[in-house]
Amino acid sequence: MTSSLPTPLPPPSTPPSTPGAPVLAADRITVGYRDALVLEALSLAVAAGTATALVGPNGSGKSTLLAALARVLAPRSGAVRLDGTPLRDLPTRAVARRIALLPQTSTAPPGATVRELVEQGRYPQRGPWAMLRRTDDAAMERALERTGVAHLADRRLATLSGGERQRAWIAMALAQETDVLLLDEPTTYLDVRHQLDLLRLVGRLRDEGMTVVMVLHDLNQAARYADRVVALREGRIVADGAPEAVVTPALLRGVFEIDAVVVPDPVSGRPHFVER
Amino acid sequence: MIMVLTRGATARSTPAVVPHLLAALALAALVGAALCLGEPRLSPAAVLDALRDPTHPQHVAVTQARLPRAVLGALAGLGLAVAGLLMQDALHNQVAGPELLGVSSGAAVVTAAVVVLALPVPLAALPHLALVGALVAGVLVLLAIGGSTRDPDQVVLVGAAVSAACAGLVVAIVGLGTEGNVVVLFRYLLGSLAARGWAHVEVVLPWVVVGVGVAVLLRRRVAALALGDVAATGLGVPVVRTRLTALAVAAALAAAVASVCGPVAYVALLAPHVARRLRGSTSTARVLALTGLVGAVLLVAADLVSRLVLYPVEVPVGVATTLVGVPALVWILARTREAR
């Protein structure tokens, strides 16, 4: 694989996150379900203030890697580190004040309102006791505004379109006011316009200094909206780097088994593939 | 922005008071009615006299029969309702109830064994023994569920299987009974508040106080579970620990009630649904208090109906709750399907 780049191992202890320093790092993690190992001794360090896209065919382990970064799956060996400290050594609520997660499928009770959903995003700050404070209200309103669902705040989720519901879930994640945001296939159930709205929002959050890691199915979207594209296949990182270095005909053939040409996107200049 | 905040705040707090107030008033009115109605029927003024004056001819009837019965009904309804809410939200299952934890079956097995086999147990010790049976059954179910708390549907299946096994055991014991004692047993198996006194209240009270207290502590974590295990983990909620604690609290609440009143059906199922509708919210944290109030109202009302409807014959309260509960369950299921 011409485009494969070695992934730097994070140093044993990293300083508190400054732009460019790794804020979240998988350190030789082995992850699996029951008998099957999905990832073996995989390492990935994510620099603060960057947007990273995890791409790969179905079953490549990209969602498993995201789940491990989000502590939804505990690694059997190795560690996921937040500013150098293994996640397992941190209280889970403290982690939730640093890392927000948008799950792939949403199961909120259909009778819940958007505001109720977004209010849940304040749990990491409030805990089991505290009433809603002014800071909570402000964070919720900001999240509702950012995602364009403020006018839907009192609507029930069941009455919303798929795009609106997805934005409500992102509002919940933003209400956590974390510096790291993990998104698992955030565009899957959205029509094209809402996909682009969402990716632009992710871009703005990145510009404001947020660290974003997202699993994306659409390689062209990954190339356009991420600073770094990490391609996985069969549980291994097979390519890692800037979109120009990763989205190449060789990678498309080797990883995705498609025969394609790569041309610069006329708007962004990022690589854009077109199948033959 | 300030406009939005103010409007948001008032939209949250104003309507919340109304359903709580209504439910509290309904409970007070029902407890008042429970003290007045019966044989002999007393006026509210006479009830107040009887409560205050130890020499009043109805003093004993009011303070030792009607009042503890109403208090027990309210406490049992509160406990069952909170147990039902915890079960439904922790398992994302709109029709889950504490009967899945096997506790009422455990209490029934012990009670059936004592009554039918005529074991030499003093009557006063029966609720305590039933409580032990209920708790043992609950612990067994929780152990059987064990590692599968990651999968709520698995919990429901294991619970249903254990409950069915216990029900079979009860039927087997009933089969050994004689005409005389089986009638007594059936009254218990249908759930009843008849002839319960302060001693029964004392059995239930500490469990309800502690159980509801823990439920209050758990309410936001259980609300997060309703978003799915992945989202709850992202919010910093320990998923498995929270679910197991919620089930254990539900089991303890239902065990205490079942040991004294028998398996009172459908209150645990219905109260959360009624509360969600009244409150216009599905959030565990928001409907918890109202669910407890509604449960108390439902059980005290059902008990009043069961005392009066065929007077002087008393219908077990479980029959009344079942007659209301079954059509309501069908309605809930129909509505859940529509919502999907």
Side-chain angles (χ1 to χ4, degrees):
Chain A
M1 196 67 45
T2 50
S3 51
S4 136
L5 298 171
T7 312
L9 275 177
S13 78
T14 44
S17 44
T18 47
V23 51
L24 191 61
D27 182 0
R28 294 186 61 76
I29 55 168
T30 297
V31 189
Y33 304 90
R34 291 176 196 257
D35 304 328
L37 288 184
V38 181
L39 308 174
E40 238 179 309
L42 181 143
S43 294
L44 175 76
V46 178
T50 60
T52 303
L54 306 180
V55 302
N58 289 335
S60 60
K62 56 190 190 303
S63 283
T64 303
L65 174 55
L66 194 85
L69 292 175
R71 77 197 173 307
V72 169
L73 288 175
R76 293 187 192 176
S77 64
V80 175
R81 295 172 190 275
L82 179 64
D83 287 337
T85 310
L87 288 183
R88 75 172 83 86
D89 294 345
L90 294 166
T92 179
R93 198 149 71 79
V95 174
R97 290 191 287 262
R98 297 286 314 278
I99 304 176
L101 169 67
L102 180 74
Q104 189 180 347
T105 51
S106 58
T107 57
T113 65
V114 172
R115 191 185 297 280
E116 282 176 350
L117 180 64
V118 174
E119 192 183 308
Q120 303 253 32
R122 297 305 292 169
Y123 175 77
Q125 281 79 8
R126 293 165 76 199
W129 285 118
M131 305 295 282
L132 277 183
R133 295 203 189 91
R134 208 165 285 189
T135 49
D136 296 310
D137 275 323
M140 287 163 58
E141 293 303 331
R142 257 197 313 279
L144 289 165
E145 296 285 342
R146 295 293 319 249
T147 50
V149 289
H151 64 294
L152 303 171
D154 294 317
R155 290 269 298 276
R156 294 192 189 284
L157 293 171
T159 67
L160 302 182
S161 73
E164 291 166 336
R165 206 173 305 150
Q166 182 72 319
R167 283 187 283 157
W169 275 86
I170 294 169
M172 183 192 88
L174 293 187
Q176 277 176 253
E177 298 202 307
T178 58
D179 56 316
V180 180
L181 176 62
L182 306 178
L183 307 119
D184 193 359
E185 299 189 15
T187 56
T188 301
Y189 298 106
L190 304 183
D191 60 34
V192 178
R193 204 200 103 204
H194 288 119
Q195 289 185 16
L196 297 181
D197 280 351
L198 184 141
L199 291 164
R200 274 191 221 114
L201 172 64
V202 168
R204 283 198 299 276
L205 294 168
R206 199 285 317 261
D207 292 343
E208 290 163 17
M210 208 170 201
T211 309
V212 179
V213 181
M214 52 191 167
V215 170
L216 287 179
H217 257 306
D218 186 321
L219 204 52
N220 286 330
Q221 287 179 350
R224 166 118 190 222
Y225 291 96
D227 308 309
R228 174 183 179 192
V229 178
V230 177
L232 286 95
R233 185 186 167 120
E234 289 168 3
R236 283 174 216 288
I237 293 176
V238 290
D240 178 1
E244 292 76 10
V246 174
V247 182
T248 59
L251 176 108
L252 288 163
R253 197 166 38 247
V255 175
F256 291 92
E257 293 166 12
I258 42 180
D259 188 17
V261 287
V262 174
V263 293
D265 167 352
V267 178
S268 66
R270 297 284 181 93
H272 187 100
F273 86 85
V274 184
E275 63 189 322
R276 267 189 223 276
Chain B
M1 185 68 170
I2 287 168
M3 281 287 290
V4 173
L5 281 179
T6 328
R7 210 181 53 213
T10 48
R12 264 202 306 278
S13 50
T14 311
V17 180
V18 178
H20 288 93
L21 207 63
L22 282 178
L25 285 176
L27 181 59
L30 283 164
V31 170
L35 295 181
C36 293
L37 299 177
E39 188 56 45
R41 177 174 300 197
L42 301 174
S43 68
V47 165
L48 285 180
D49 284 344
L51 280 174
R52 272 192 302 248
D53 176 7
T55 60
H56 193 281
Q58 299 306 326
H59 178 74
V60 172
V62 171
T63 61
Q64 299 305 314
R66 292 184 189 176
L67 186 58
R69 183 171 179 164
V71 169
L72 181 64
L75 273 179
L78 167 69
L80 288 174
V82 169
L85 179 69
L86 290 174
M87 295 284 297
Q88 288 173 15
D89 287 351
L91 296 177
H92 327 145
N93 189 323
Q94 295 292 289
V95 292
E99 69 278 358
L100 289 176
L101 297 171
V103 287
S104 42
S105 317
V109 168
V110 170
T111 308
V114 169
V115 172
V116 171
L117 308 177
L119 299 181
V121 171
L123 207 58
L126 189 53
H128 296 279
L129 268 185
L131 180 57
V132 171
L135 292 173
V136 168
V139 168
L140 287 179
V141 171
L142 289 176
L143 285 177
I145 290 166
S148 69
T149 41
R150 281 235 168 246
D151 182 358
D153 294 340
Q154 196 73 25
V155 175
V156 172
L157 289 176
V158 172
V162 174
S163 300
C166 285
L169 199 55
V170 171
V171 171
I173 295 172
V174 168
L176 300 172
T178 61
E179 276 173 28
N181 54 32
V182 164
V183 171
V184 177
L185 186 58
F186 270 135
R187 285 202 156 268
Y188 170 84
L189 290 181
L190 288 167
S192 173
L193 292 169
R196 304 297 198 272
W198 291 115
H200 296 95
V201 171
E202 279 169 26
V203 174
V204 174
L205 184 64
W207 292 87
V208 170
V209 168
V210 173
V212 172
V214 179
V216 169
L217 273 174
L218 280 178
R219 68 200 194 284
R220 281 186 197 151
R221 272 167 273 185
V222 173
L225 285 190
L227 302 180
D229 290 0
V230 174
T233 305
L235 289 172
V237 170
V239 169
V240 169
R241 184 148 47 97
T242 301
R243 180 169 293 134
L244 213 54
T245 313
L247 296 185
V249 171
L253 284 168
V257 174
S259 68
V260 168
C261 311
V264 178
Y266 293 101
V267 171
L269 174 69
L270 285 185
H273 288 284
V274 173
R276 288 188 196 108
R277 280 198 78 87
L278 288 176
R279 181 72 174 79
S281 171
T282 52
S283 151
T284 318
R286 294 216 174 133
V287 299
L288 178 64
L290 189 58
T291 297
L293 275 173
V294 168
V297 166
L298 284 179
L299 194 50
V300 174
D303 186 47
L304 205 54
V305 169
S306 69
R307 268 171 60 194
L308 302 176
V309 68
L310 289 181
Y311 189 83
V313 179
E314 196 168 297
V315 184
V317 68
V319 173
T321 57
T322 304
L323 286 179
V324 179
V326 170
L329 171 63
V330 172
W331 181 72
I332 291 165
L333 285 173
R335 251 173 41 96
T336 321
R337 194 175 304 160
E338 267 169 43
R340 289 244 167 93

